[in-house]
Amino acid sequence: MAVCEVCGNDYEMAFEVRAAGAVHTFDSFECAAHKLAPVCDTCGCRILGHGHQADGKFFCCAHCARAQGHTALADNA
């Protein structure tokens, strides 16, 4: 079995994710997101969707981007 690098669970259905040249082992998508998902530079939430990026910063939504002065970004619905 493989051990999740986030929670330490030794799980027979663990899986590997290859990202940025590294191999990570997780027991759930929750742990994978906790470790690998970018964090919004305004509110601190994990960005699980497309999000926004401006000047090297990540934002979960246009509202958070505007709070940092990036007024050109807009959410799509």
Side-chain angles (χ1 to χ4, degrees), residues 21-48:
V23 179
H24 303 275
T25 303
F26 304 107
D27 69 339
S28 67
F29 287 113
E30 180 182 6
C31 284
H34 179 76
K35 177 78 176 190
L36 300 176
V39 176
C40 179
D41 283 309
T42 301
C43 71
C45 76
R46 296 279 174 191
I47 302 169
L48 300 179

